Every structure is written in C-alpha cells, then in structure tokens.
C-alpha cells in the first residue's frame, strides 16, 4: 500500500509538471482578456484584479468581429466538406489498390511548407479575378486539409478486410454502396479525427488569409491586426480576440476528444 501511495503521488506530481506549462499560457490569456491595459502590463503580475468587459466590448461592438467569424466559419466548413468529399474516396483507392506512388506524392504535398504555395496561388487568383473571394481561401485551405484527410483515413480503409466488401457485393451491393454502407461506418473514429484536425487547421490559419483575403473575406486570425498599431498594442483586446478565436476549436476538440484519441491510436496501430 505504501509503495502504491508513493507511486500515485509521483504520478500526480509528474502530471502537474506536464499540465502547468501547457495550460499556463491559456489561463494567462483568459485572465488578461478581463484586465485593463494597466493591469496587464503591471509588474509584478496581478492575479487578483477587478474583471472588466471592455475588451470584449471592443471586439464585438467596435470591430466587425461577427463578420470575421462568419467568414472563418464559411471557409472552414466548406473546405473541410470538400476535402472529405475528395479525400475519402482517394484514401480508399490508395488503401485498396496499394497506390504507393500516389500516397508518396500526397505526403510530399502535405510536408511542403504552405508558404511555398502562396506566390503561385496569388498569381493564379489575381489573373482569374478571385482575390478577396471565398473560392481562393477554400481552395488554399484544401491544399493542406485534403492530404491530411487522405493520410488519416488510409490506414482505416486498409485495415477493413476485403471479405466484408465482397460479402456485401454478393448480397447485391455495388462497390460504391459497400464503401458508403460498410467501410465508412466502420471507420467513423477516423472520419471524426480527420474532420476535427482539418477544421482546426482551417479555423486557425493565418498565412493564406493574410495574402489572399482583403476586407470582404478577412478571417478571424487576420482580424487581430485591428488591435495592433505603430503607437501601441491593445493587449486586452488582443487577448479577448484570441480567446474568441480559440473557443470554438476548444469546444469542438473537447466534444470529440474520445473519438479523436481513438482515431489517432487506432490509425497508428492499424496502419
């Protein structure tokens, strides 16, 4: 019993050491969003203070933040939807027909830094008159989300025995129907994982929006620039905006947490 108690205490101590560095920046950001500018920059830091709502008032009342949120939601949902629509059949094809060259090509596209695509995207969309449009942002976000969907889902489809599909086709289903009615339900955790990770990437993306969007399609990460100037940085509003941006991603991750963990671990074991 004594050894078990010591082990539990050590485990808790190590767990606290790991959690504190992870949670501290978010807790600090959340606290600062309710502080005045004076309290934020005061030294030593104030952990006991009178909360104020003026930072969130500047975010939602003085700035057109709801419009930015709408733009982010449209771009994220549509880009993830199209990535799933194209990526799931591609992952199935790679898994079933062992298309190694295609999988390597997709991996290379996934590993390349996104900034290397910015200049070609900018030239193409400028010539087509698509700058400051949802189309430009959606296509650019799919450049990362689509390979992510393919590489998350390929191990799942590869792990499903062919006999299940063959039995379904013997019963009268086509290969397409077997894919929709057999493989996708069995690979549910993987689909949830790919959807969640792709959405978080798109929601938080800064680089593509910085170059390809302007006033009409500006997304949430770009909107933070409204609180930065040459004279000063409105830290309270920046923190409030950051909390607003992070909240949907945190809620989505917490809601699908068990599916995401299951999806990542099962994909790793099955692949």
């Amino acid at each position: 019993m004594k050894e078990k108690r010591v082990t539990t205490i050590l485990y808790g101590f190590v767990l606290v050491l790991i959690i504190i560095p992870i949670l501290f920046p978010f807790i600090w950001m959340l606290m600062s969003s309710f502080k005045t500018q004076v309290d934020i920059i005061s030294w030593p830091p104030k952990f006991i203070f009178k909360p104020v709502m003026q930072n969130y008032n500047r975010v939602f009342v003085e700035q057109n933040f709801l419009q930015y949120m709408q733009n982010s939601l449209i771009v994220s949902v549509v880009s993830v939807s199209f990535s799933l629509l194209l990526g799931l059949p591609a992952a199935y094809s790679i898994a079933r027909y062992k298309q190694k060259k295609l999988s390597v090509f997709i991996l290379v596209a996934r590993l390349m830094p996104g900034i290397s695509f910015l200049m070609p995207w900018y030239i193409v969309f400028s010539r087509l008159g698509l700058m400051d449009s949802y189309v430009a942002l959606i296509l650019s976000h799919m450049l990362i989300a689509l390979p992510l969907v393919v590489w998350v889902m390929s191990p799942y489809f590869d792990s499903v025995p062919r006999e299940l599909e063959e039995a379904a086709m013997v019963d009268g289903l086509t290969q397409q129907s077997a894919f929709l009615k057999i493989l996708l339900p069995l690979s549910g955790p993987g689909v949830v994982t790919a959807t969640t990770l792709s959405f978080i990437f798109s929601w938080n993306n800064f680089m593509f929006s910085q170059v390809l969007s302007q006033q009409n399609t500006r997304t949430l990460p770009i909107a933070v620039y409204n609180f930065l100037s040459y004279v000063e940085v409105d830290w309270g509003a920046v923190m409030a905006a950051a909390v607003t941006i992070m909240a949907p991603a945190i809620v989505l991750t917490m809601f699908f947490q068990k599916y995401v963990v299951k999806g990542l671990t099962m994909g790793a074991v099955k692949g």
Side-chain angles (χ1 to χ4, degrees), residues 244-255:
T244 303
I245 294 171
M246 290 182 62
I250 292 175
V251 172
L252 183 67
T253 304
M254 292 179 63
F255 185 76

Side-chain angles (χ1 to χ4, degrees), residues 16-252:
V16 170
L17 289 179
I18 296 174
I19 290 177
I20 288 178
I22 296 175
L23 292 182
F24 179 76
F26 177 75
I27 295 174
W28 185 271
M29 178 179 65
L30 183 62
M31 292 174 57
S32 298
S33 70
F34 292 101
K35 289 182 178 181
T36 62
Q37 186 82 346
V38 175
D39 289 339
I40 292 175
I41 63 177
S42 64
W43 187 263
K46 288 187 177 181
F47 293 97
I48 300 177
F49 57 92
K50 182 180 179 181
V52 296
M53 295 298 298
Q54 64 186 29
N55 297 321
Y56 288 94
N57 182 71
R58 284 200 290 273
V59 169
F60 288 101
V61 178
E62 298 179 12
Q63 300 291 333
N64 195 17
F65 223 67
L66 291 178
Q67 178 63 44
Y68 304 144
M69 185 174 293
Q70 176 182 310
N71 293 338
S72 289
L73 188 62
I74 292 174
V75 173
S76 299
V77 171
V78 176
S79 63
V80 171
S81 299
F82 277 107
S83 295
L84 291 172
L85 184 64
L86 298 175
L88 292 176
Y92 170 77
S93 177
I94 290 173
R96 278 291 177 261
Y97 301 105
K98 308 301 180 182
Q99 297 171 320
K100 300 298 183 181
K101 293 182 179 180
L102 178 59
S103 64
V104 171
F105 175 78
I106 294 176
L107 177 61
V108 170
R110 179 66 184 89
L111 295 179
M112 288 184 65
I115 194 171
S116 61
F117 297 100
L118 279 179
M119 183 58 69
W121 276 136
Y122 180 82
I123 295 174
V124 170
F125 291 138
S126 296
R127 297 288 177 86
L128 295 176
L130 293 176
M131 291 295 295
D132 195 24
S133 68
Y134 290 126
V135 174
L137 290 178
I138 289 169
L139 291 177
S140 62
H141 284 210
M142 286 179 62
L143 185 67
I144 305 299
L146 182 56
L148 178 62
V149 171
V150 172
W151 272 88
V152 169
M153 292 307 302
S154 293
Y156 276 88
F157 295 143
D158 192 40
S159 67
V160 178
R162 284 180 175 269
E163 290 75 13
L164 291 177
E165 292 179 76
E166 294 172 355
M169 287 187 282
V170 169
D171 290 337
L173 292 180
T174 63
Q175 188 172 16
Q176 292 78 13
S177 299
F179 170 73
L180 294 174
K181 296 181 179 180
I182 304 299
L183 264 72
L184 284 184
L186 291 176
S187 305
V191 176
V192 173
T193 302
T195 302
T196 303
L197 296 179
S198 300
F199 180 86
I200 291 175
F201 157 78
S202 181
W203 184 265
N204 293 329
N205 183 268
F206 172 85
M207 182 173 54
F208 291 151
S209 299
Q210 171 69 10
V211 176
L212 302 176
S213 69
Q214 297 173 11
Q215 189 63 37
N216 293 330
T217 58
R218 184 171 295 173
T219 56
L220 284 175
I222 304 300
V224 177
Y225 265 138
N226 292 342
F227 307 110
L228 308 178
S229 67
Y230 291 106
V231 179
E232 66 172 351
V233 177
D234 190 346
W235 289 113
V238 169
M239 296 301 177
V243 171
T244 303
I245 294 171
M246 290 182 62
I250 292 175
V251 172
L252 183 67

